[in-house]
Amino acid sequence: MSAALNAMAADVLLLLRLALTDEVPGNREKAVLGRFASEMLKLSEDDTADIVAALEALATEAEVMQARASLRQMSQERRLILAETLFELAMRDVELASRTERLTARVCDVLGLGADEVAHLSG
């Protein structure tokens, strides 16, 4: 995978992790992240395990807020691309597809986007 694709995959997984919970991910969230990494992003088993462990390590409120801030500092275009990529992939996941409304609200919150900016993506 190219460096650009690796960076995009990492950003999408970070966004998903933050959209799922602000707390330490539980078993359900870890399962979603792992499934998303391996099935949707086609990452290897080792890469998936490493990424899920790294995302799980975002445990304190300060770490979560820092991760949110790093995503919000991206250009609006980049944030919209991340949202679009996440929604596109999430619609292929049985569990996430059924939670579109909540996922949309959380993604908007994490990225600092208005619901009107992503309405065409999540609808």
Side-chain angles (χ1 to χ4, degrees), residues 18-40:
L18 295 172
L20 291 173
T21 183
D22 287 331
E23 307 294 324
V24 175
N27 290 335
R28 181 177 169 207
E29 290 86 6
K30 288 188 277 188
V32 169
L33 289 166
R35 186 177 65 246
F36 202 85
S38 64
E39 294 177 14
M40 301 302 163

Side-chain angles (χ1 to χ4, degrees), residues 19-76:
L20 291 173
T21 183
D22 287 331
E23 307 294 324
V24 175
N27 290 335
R28 181 177 169 207
E29 290 86 6
K30 288 188 277 188
V32 169
L33 289 166
R35 186 177 65 246
F36 202 85
S38 64
E39 294 177 14
M40 301 302 163
L41 297 174
K42 307 294 185 204
L43 299 178
S44 72
E45 189 175 318
D46 288 341
D47 287 344
T48 295
D50 290 345
I51 289 169
V52 170
L55 294 171
E56 184 180 359
L58 292 173
T60 68
E61 184 178 342
E63 291 166 336
V64 168
M65 295 308 289
Q66 184 177 14
R68 281 176 170 248
S70 72
L71 291 175
R72 285 186 177 187
Q73 289 173 354
M74 294 177 177
S75 70
Q76 182 178 17

